[in-house]
mmCIF file with all atom_site columns, all heavy atoms in Angstrom:
data_model
loop_
_atom_site.group_PDB
_atom_site.id
_atom_site.type_symbol
_atom_site.label_atom_id
_atom_site.label_alt_id
_atom_site.label_comp_id
_atom_site.label_asym_id
_atom_site.label_entity_id
_atom_site.label_seq_id
_atom_site.pdbx_PDB_ins_code
_atom_site.Cartn_x
_atom_site.Cartn_y
_atom_site.Cartn_z
_atom_site.occupancy
_atom_site.B_iso_or_equiv
_atom_site.pdbx_formal_charge
_atom_site.auth_seq_id
_atom_site.auth_comp_id
_atom_site.auth_asym_id
_atom_site.auth_atom_id
_atom_site.pdbx_PDB_model_num
ATOM 1   N N   . SER W 1 35 ? 17.667 24.207 -8.596  1.00 0.00 ? 200 SER W N   1
ATOM 2   C CA  . SER W 1 35 ? 16.453 24.932 -8.003  1.00 0.00 ? 200 SER W CA  1
ATOM 3   C C   . SER W 1 35 ? 15.737 24.125 -7.017  1.00 0.00 ? 200 SER W C   1
ATOM 4   O O   . SER W 1 35 ? 15.120 24.667 -6.131  1.00 0.00 ? 200 SER W O   1
ATOM 5   C CB  . SER W 1 35 ? 15.498 25.365 -9.158  1.00 0.00 ? 200 SER W CB  1
ATOM 6   O OG  . SER W 1 35 ? 16.103 26.214 -10.101 1.00 0.00 ? 200 SER W OG  1
ATOM 7   N N   . LEU W 1 36 ? 15.689 22.823 -7.392  1.00 0.00 ? 201 LEU W N   1
ATOM 8   C CA  . LEU W 1 36 ? 14.968 21.888 -6.584  1.00 0.00 ? 201 LEU W CA  1
ATOM 9   C C   . LEU W 1 36 ? 16.037 20.840 -5.942  1.00 0.00 ? 201 LEU W C   1
ATOM 10  O O   . LEU W 1 36 ? 16.722 20.166 -6.741  1.00 0.00 ? 201 LEU W O   1
ATOM 11  C CB  . LEU W 1 36 ? 13.881 21.181 -7.329  1.00 0.00 ? 201 LEU W CB  1
ATOM 12  C CG  . LEU W 1 36 ? 13.188 20.012 -6.622  1.00 0.00 ? 201 LEU W CG  1
ATOM 13  C CD1 . LEU W 1 36 ? 12.369 20.579 -5.348  1.00 0.00 ? 201 LEU W CD1 1
ATOM 14  C CD2 . LEU W 1 36 ? 12.141 19.366 -7.548  1.00 0.00 ? 201 LEU W CD2 1
ATOM 15  N N   . ARG W 1 37 ? 16.136 20.799 -4.613  1.00 0.00 ? 202 ARG W N   1
ATOM 16  C CA  . ARG W 1 37 ? 17.178 19.954 -4.099  1.00 0.00 ? 202 ARG W CA  1
ATOM 17  C C   . ARG W 1 37 ? 16.598 18.474 -4.002  1.00 0.00 ? 202 ARG W C   1
ATOM 18  O O   . ARG W 1 37 ? 15.463 18.247 -3.769  1.00 0.00 ? 202 ARG W O   1
ATOM 19  C CB  . ARG W 1 37 ? 17.458 20.339 -2.616  1.00 0.00 ? 202 ARG W CB  1
ATOM 20  C CG  . ARG W 1 37 ? 18.290 21.671 -2.506  1.00 0.00 ? 202 ARG W CG  1
ATOM 21  C CD  . ARG W 1 37 ? 18.667 22.043 -1.168  1.00 0.00 ? 202 ARG W CD  1
ATOM 22  N NE  . ARG W 1 37 ? 17.387 22.236 -0.306  1.00 0.00 ? 202 ARG W NE  1
ATOM 23  C CZ  . ARG W 1 37 ? 17.111 21.722 0.851   1.00 0.00 ? 202 ARG W CZ  1
ATOM 24  N NH1 . ARG W 1 37 ? 18.106 21.121 1.449   1.00 0.00 ? 202 ARG W NH1 1
ATOM 25  N NH2 . ARG W 1 37 ? 16.103 21.976 1.475   1.00 0.00 ? 202 ARG W NH2 1
ATOM 26  N N   . ALA W 1 38 ? 17.574 17.553 -4.436  1.00 0.00 ? 203 ALA W N   1
ATOM 27  C CA  . ALA W 1 38 ? 17.269 16.178 -4.437  1.00 0.00 ? 203 ALA W CA  1
ATOM 28  C C   . ALA W 1 38 ? 18.475 15.412 -4.089  1.00 0.00 ? 203 ALA W C   1
ATOM 29  O O   . ALA W 1 38 ? 19.627 15.915 -4.077  1.00 0.00 ? 203 ALA W O   1
ATOM 30  C CB  . ALA W 1 38 ? 16.694 15.866 -5.890  1.00 0.00 ? 203 ALA W CB  1
ATOM 31  N N   . ARG W 1 46 ? 15.293 11.146 -5.044  1.00 0.00 ? 211 ARG W N   1
ATOM 32  C CA  . ARG W 1 46 ? 14.255 11.513 -4.175  1.00 0.00 ? 211 ARG W CA  1
ATOM 33  C C   . ARG W 1 46 ? 14.339 12.909 -3.733  1.00 0.00 ? 211 ARG W C   1
ATOM 34  O O   . ARG W 1 46 ? 15.373 13.625 -3.775  1.00 0.00 ? 211 ARG W O   1
ATOM 35  C CB  . ARG W 1 46 ? 14.469 10.706 -2.804  1.00 0.00 ? 211 ARG W CB  1
ATOM 36  C CG  . ARG W 1 46 ? 14.415 9.143  -3.041  1.00 0.00 ? 211 ARG W CG  1
ATOM 37  C CD  . ARG W 1 46 ? 12.904 8.803  -3.323  1.00 0.00 ? 211 ARG W CD  1
ATOM 38  N NE  . ARG W 1 46 ? 12.871 7.251  -3.284  1.00 0.00 ? 211 ARG W NE  1
ATOM 39  C CZ  . ARG W 1 46 ? 11.965 6.682  -4.057  1.00 0.00 ? 211 ARG W CZ  1
ATOM 40  N NH1 . ARG W 1 46 ? 11.157 7.260  -4.714  1.00 0.00 ? 211 ARG W NH1 1
ATOM 41  N NH2 . ARG W 1 46 ? 12.074 5.347  -4.022  1.00 0.00 ? 211 ARG W NH2 1
ATOM 42  N N   . ILE W 1 47 ? 13.148 13.636 -3.542  1.00 0.00 ? 212 ILE W N   1
ATOM 43  C CA  . ILE W 1 47 ? 13.022 14.978 -3.074  1.00 0.00 ? 212 ILE W CA  1
ATOM 44  C C   . ILE W 1 47 ? 12.359 14.987 -1.762  1.00 0.00 ? 212 ILE W C   1
ATOM 45  O O   . ILE W 1 47 ? 11.194 14.359 -1.617  1.00 0.00 ? 212 ILE W O   1
ATOM 46  C CB  . ILE W 1 47 ? 12.221 15.777 -4.131  1.00 0.00 ? 212 ILE W CB  1
ATOM 47  C CG1 . ILE W 1 47 ? 12.845 15.826 -5.533  1.00 0.00 ? 212 ILE W CG1 1
ATOM 48  C CG2 . ILE W 1 47 ? 12.037 17.208 -3.628  1.00 0.00 ? 212 ILE W CG2 1
ATOM 49  C CD1 . ILE W 1 47 ? 12.349 14.759 -6.475  1.00 0.00 ? 212 ILE W CD1 1
ATOM 50  N N   . SER W 1 48 ? 12.984 15.638 -0.703  1.00 0.00 ? 213 SER W N   1
ATOM 51  C CA  . SER W 1 48 ? 12.314 15.551 0.589   1.00 0.00 ? 213 SER W CA  1
ATOM 52  C C   . SER W 1 48 ? 11.092 16.520 0.523   1.00 0.00 ? 213 SER W C   1
ATOM 53  O O   . SER W 1 48 ? 11.081 17.445 -0.265  1.00 0.00 ? 213 SER W O   1
ATOM 54  C CB  . SER W 1 48 ? 13.348 15.968 1.670   1.00 0.00 ? 213 SER W CB  1
ATOM 55  O OG  . SER W 1 48 ? 13.582 17.392 1.566   1.00 0.00 ? 213 SER W OG  1
ATOM 56  N N   . ARG W 1 49 ? 10.278 16.257 1.317   1.00 0.00 ? 214 ARG W N   1
ATOM 57  C CA  . ARG W 1 49 ? 8.986  17.067 1.429   1.00 0.00 ? 214 ARG W CA  1
ATOM 58  C C   . ARG W 1 49 ? 9.385  18.502 1.804   1.00 0.00 ? 214 ARG W C   1
ATOM 59  O O   . ARG W 1 49 ? 8.942  19.494 1.243   1.00 0.00 ? 214 ARG W O   1
ATOM 60  C CB  . ARG W 1 49 ? 8.077  16.495 2.557   1.00 0.00 ? 214 ARG W CB  1
ATOM 61  C CG  . ARG W 1 49 ? 6.802  17.351 2.745   1.00 0.00 ? 214 ARG W CG  1
ATOM 62  C CD  . ARG W 1 49 ? 5.970  17.508 1.582   1.00 0.00 ? 214 ARG W CD  1
ATOM 63  N NE  . ARG W 1 49 ? 5.377  16.241 1.071   1.00 0.00 ? 214 ARG W NE  1
ATOM 64  C CZ  . ARG W 1 49 ? 4.499  16.241 0.142   1.00 0.00 ? 214 ARG W CZ  1
ATOM 65  N NH1 . ARG W 1 49 ? 4.046  17.272 -0.455  1.00 0.00 ? 214 ARG W NH1 1
ATOM 66  N NH2 . ARG W 1 49 ? 3.980  14.990 -0.230  1.00 0.00 ? 214 ARG W NH2 1
ATOM 67  N N   . LYS W 1 50 ? 10.494 18.656 2.714   1.00 0.00 ? 215 LYS W N   1
ATOM 68  C CA  . LYS W 1 50 ? 11.009 20.038 3.076   1.00 0.00 ? 215 LYS W CA  1
ATOM 69  C C   . LYS W 1 50 ? 11.457 20.714 1.848   1.00 0.00 ? 215 LYS W C   1
ATOM 70  O O   . LYS W 1 50 ? 11.255 21.856 1.603   1.00 0.00 ? 215 LYS W O   1
ATOM 71  C CB  . LYS W 1 50 ? 12.071 19.814 4.106   1.00 0.00 ? 215 LYS W CB  1
ATOM 72  C CG  . LYS W 1 50 ? 12.622 21.211 4.562   1.00 0.00 ? 215 LYS W CG  1
ATOM 73  C CD  . LYS W 1 50 ? 13.680 21.037 5.602   1.00 0.00 ? 215 LYS W CD  1
ATOM 74  C CE  . LYS W 1 50 ? 14.265 22.383 5.944   1.00 0.00 ? 215 LYS W CE  1
ATOM 75  N NZ  . LYS W 1 50 ? 15.383 22.284 6.889   1.00 0.00 ? 215 LYS W NZ  1
ATOM 76  N N   . ALA W 1 51 ? 12.327 19.992 1.020   1.00 0.00 ? 216 ALA W N   1
ATOM 77  C CA  . ALA W 1 51 ? 12.896 20.629 -0.266  1.00 0.00 ? 216 ALA W CA  1
ATOM 78  C C   . ALA W 1 51 ? 11.694 20.959 -1.200  1.00 0.00 ? 216 ALA W C   1
ATOM 79  O O   . ALA W 1 51 ? 11.754 22.048 -1.851  1.00 0.00 ? 216 ALA W O   1
ATOM 80  C CB  . ALA W 1 51 ? 13.907 19.704 -0.854  1.00 0.00 ? 216 ALA W CB  1
ATOM 81  N N   . PHE W 1 52 ? 10.809 20.149 -1.237  1.00 0.00 ? 217 PHE W N   1
ATOM 82  C CA  . PHE W 1 52 ? 9.655  20.481 -2.224  1.00 0.00 ? 217 PHE W CA  1
ATOM 83  C C   . PHE W 1 52 ? 8.899  21.695 -1.759  1.00 0.00 ? 217 PHE W C   1
ATOM 84  O O   . PHE W 1 52 ? 8.583  22.658 -2.540  1.00 0.00 ? 217 PHE W O   1
ATOM 85  C CB  . PHE W 1 52 ? 8.693  19.237 -2.223  1.00 0.00 ? 217 PHE W CB  1
ATOM 86  C CG  . PHE W 1 52 ? 7.420  19.404 -3.039  1.00 0.00 ? 217 PHE W CG  1
ATOM 87  C CD1 . PHE W 1 52 ? 7.477  19.469 -4.390  1.00 0.00 ? 217 PHE W CD1 1
ATOM 88  C CD2 . PHE W 1 52 ? 6.250  19.687 -2.360  1.00 0.00 ? 217 PHE W CD2 1
ATOM 89  C CE1 . PHE W 1 52 ? 6.315  19.594 -5.144  1.00 0.00 ? 217 PHE W CE1 1
ATOM 90  C CE2 . PHE W 1 52 ? 5.126  19.859 -3.138  1.00 0.00 ? 217 PHE W CE2 1
ATOM 91  C CZ  . PHE W 1 52 ? 5.128  19.785 -4.504  1.00 0.00 ? 217 PHE W CZ  1
ATOM 92  N N   . ASN W 1 53 ? 8.508  21.786 -0.413  1.00 0.00 ? 218 ASN W N   1
ATOM 93  C CA  . ASN W 1 53 ? 7.940  22.901 0.189   1.00 0.00 ? 218 ASN W CA  1
ATOM 94  C C   . ASN W 1 53 ? 8.639  24.213 0.024   1.00 0.00 ? 218 ASN W C   1
ATOM 95  O O   . ASN W 1 53 ? 8.116  25.207 -0.248  1.00 0.00 ? 218 ASN W O   1
ATOM 96  C CB  . ASN W 1 53 ? 7.474  22.676 1.625   1.00 0.00 ? 218 ASN W CB  1
ATOM 97  C CG  . ASN W 1 53 ? 6.446  21.644 1.706   1.00 0.00 ? 218 ASN W CG  1
ATOM 98  O OD1 . ASN W 1 53 ? 5.606  21.357 0.881   1.00 0.00 ? 218 ASN W OD1 1
ATOM 99  N ND2 . ASN W 1 53 ? 6.333  20.992 2.903   1.00 0.00 ? 218 ASN W ND2 1
ATOM 100 N N   . GLU W 1 54 ? 10.022 24.141 0.166   1.00 0.00 ? 219 GLU W N   1
ATOM 101 C CA  . GLU W 1 54 ? 10.920 25.274 -0.066  1.00 0.00 ? 219 GLU W CA  1
ATOM 102 C C   . GLU W 1 54 ? 10.857 25.740 -1.509  1.00 0.00 ? 219 GLU W C   1
ATOM 103 O O   . GLU W 1 54 ? 10.798 26.984 -1.823  1.00 0.00 ? 219 GLU W O   1
ATOM 104 C CB  . GLU W 1 54 ? 12.275 25.011 0.376   1.00 0.00 ? 219 GLU W CB  1
ATOM 105 C CG  . GLU W 1 54 ? 12.460 24.954 1.953   1.00 0.00 ? 219 GLU W CG  1
ATOM 106 C CD  . GLU W 1 54 ? 13.789 24.427 2.334   1.00 0.00 ? 219 GLU W CD  1
ATOM 107 O OE1 . GLU W 1 54 ? 14.650 24.176 1.506   1.00 0.00 ? 219 GLU W OE1 1
ATOM 108 O OE2 . GLU W 1 54 ? 14.036 24.396 3.583   1.00 0.00 ? 219 GLU W OE2 1
ATOM 109 N N   . PHE W 1 55 ? 10.843 24.761 -2.320  1.00 0.00 ? 220 PHE W N   1
ATOM 110 C CA  . PHE W 1 55 ? 10.752 25.104 -3.796  1.00 0.00 ? 220 PHE W CA  1
ATOM 111 C C   . PHE W 1 55 ? 9.512  25.768 -4.132  1.00 0.00 ? 220 PHE W C   1
ATOM 112 O O   . PHE W 1 55 ? 9.554  26.899 -4.888  1.00 0.00 ? 220 PHE W O   1
ATOM 113 C CB  . PHE W 1 55 ? 10.923 23.842 -4.609  1.00 0.00 ? 220 PHE W CB  1
ATOM 114 C CG  . PHE W 1 55 ? 10.737 24.080 -6.170  1.00 0.00 ? 220 PHE W CG  1
ATOM 115 C CD1 . PHE W 1 55 ? 11.953 24.501 -6.847  1.00 0.00 ? 220 PHE W CD1 1
ATOM 116 C CD2 . PHE W 1 55 ? 9.563  23.803 -6.818  1.00 0.00 ? 220 PHE W CD2 1
ATOM 117 C CE1 . PHE W 1 55 ? 11.781 24.740 -8.191  1.00 0.00 ? 220 PHE W CE1 1
ATOM 118 C CE2 . PHE W 1 55 ? 9.579  24.099 -8.186  1.00 0.00 ? 220 PHE W CE2 1
ATOM 119 C CZ  . PHE W 1 55 ? 10.613 24.505 -8.878  1.00 0.00 ? 220 PHE W CZ  1
ATOM 120 N N   . ILE W 1 56 ? 8.435  25.335 -3.615  1.00 0.00 ? 221 ILE W N   1
ATOM 121 C CA  . ILE W 1 56 ? 7.118  25.974 -3.877  1.00 0.00 ? 221 ILE W CA  1
ATOM 122 C C   . ILE W 1 56 ? 7.124  27.367 -3.300  1.00 0.00 ? 221 ILE W C   1
ATOM 123 O O   . ILE W 1 56 ? 6.619  28.257 -3.906  1.00 0.00 ? 221 ILE W O   1
ATOM 124 C CB  . ILE W 1 56 ? 5.867  25.032 -3.281  1.00 0.00 ? 221 ILE W CB  1
ATOM 125 C CG1 . ILE W 1 56 ? 5.853  23.779 -3.889  1.00 0.00 ? 221 ILE W CG1 1
ATOM 126 C CG2 . ILE W 1 56 ? 4.571  25.814 -3.291  1.00 0.00 ? 221 ILE W CG2 1
ATOM 127 C CD1 . ILE W 1 56 ? 5.596  23.746 -5.352  1.00 0.00 ? 221 ILE W CD1 1
ATOM 128 N N   . ASP W 1 57 ? 7.576  27.618 -2.063  1.00 0.00 ? 222 ASP W N   1
ATOM 129 C CA  . ASP W 1 57 ? 7.590  28.793 -1.435  1.00 0.00 ? 222 ASP W CA  1
ATOM 130 C C   . ASP W 1 57 ? 8.386  29.818 -2.274  1.00 0.00 ? 222 ASP W C   1
ATOM 131 O O   . ASP W 1 57 ? 8.068  31.021 -2.331  1.00 0.00 ? 222 ASP W O   1
ATOM 132 C CB  . ASP W 1 57 ? 8.218  28.758 -0.084  1.00 0.00 ? 222 ASP W CB  1
ATOM 133 C CG  . ASP W 1 57 ? 7.223  27.999 0.995   1.00 0.00 ? 222 ASP W CG  1
ATOM 134 O OD1 . ASP W 1 57 ? 5.944  27.987 0.614   1.00 0.00 ? 222 ASP W OD1 1
ATOM 135 O OD2 . ASP W 1 57 ? 7.696  27.686 1.942   1.00 0.00 ? 222 ASP W OD2 1
ATOM 136 N N   . ASN W 1 58 ? 9.566  29.391 -2.834  1.00 0.00 ? 223 ASN W N   1
ATOM 137 C CA  . ASN W 1 58 ? 10.369 30.295 -3.604  1.00 0.00 ? 223 ASN W CA  1
ATOM 138 C C   . ASN W 1 58 ? 9.887  30.491 -5.105  1.00 0.00 ? 223 ASN W C   1
ATOM 139 O O   . ASN W 1 58 ? 10.545 31.346 -5.781  1.00 0.00 ? 223 ASN W O   1
ATOM 140 C CB  . ASN W 1 58 ? 11.863 29.713 -3.547  1.00 0.00 ? 223 ASN W CB  1
ATOM 141 C CG  . ASN W 1 58 ? 12.389 29.921 -2.231  1.00 0.00 ? 223 ASN W CG  1
ATOM 142 O OD1 . ASN W 1 58 ? 12.072 30.789 -1.415  1.00 0.00 ? 223 ASN W OD1 1
ATOM 143 N ND2 . ASN W 1 58 ? 13.211 28.875 -1.750  1.00 0.00 ? 223 ASN W ND2 1
#
Side-chain angles (χ1 to χ4, degrees):
S200 297
L201 178 59
R202 289 183 300 133
R211 300 284 185 212
I212 299 99
S213 70
R214 179 59 68 173
K215 180 180 175 186
F217 176 76
N218 290 338
E219 287 173 358
F220 178 80
I221 295 301
D222 290 344
N223 292 326

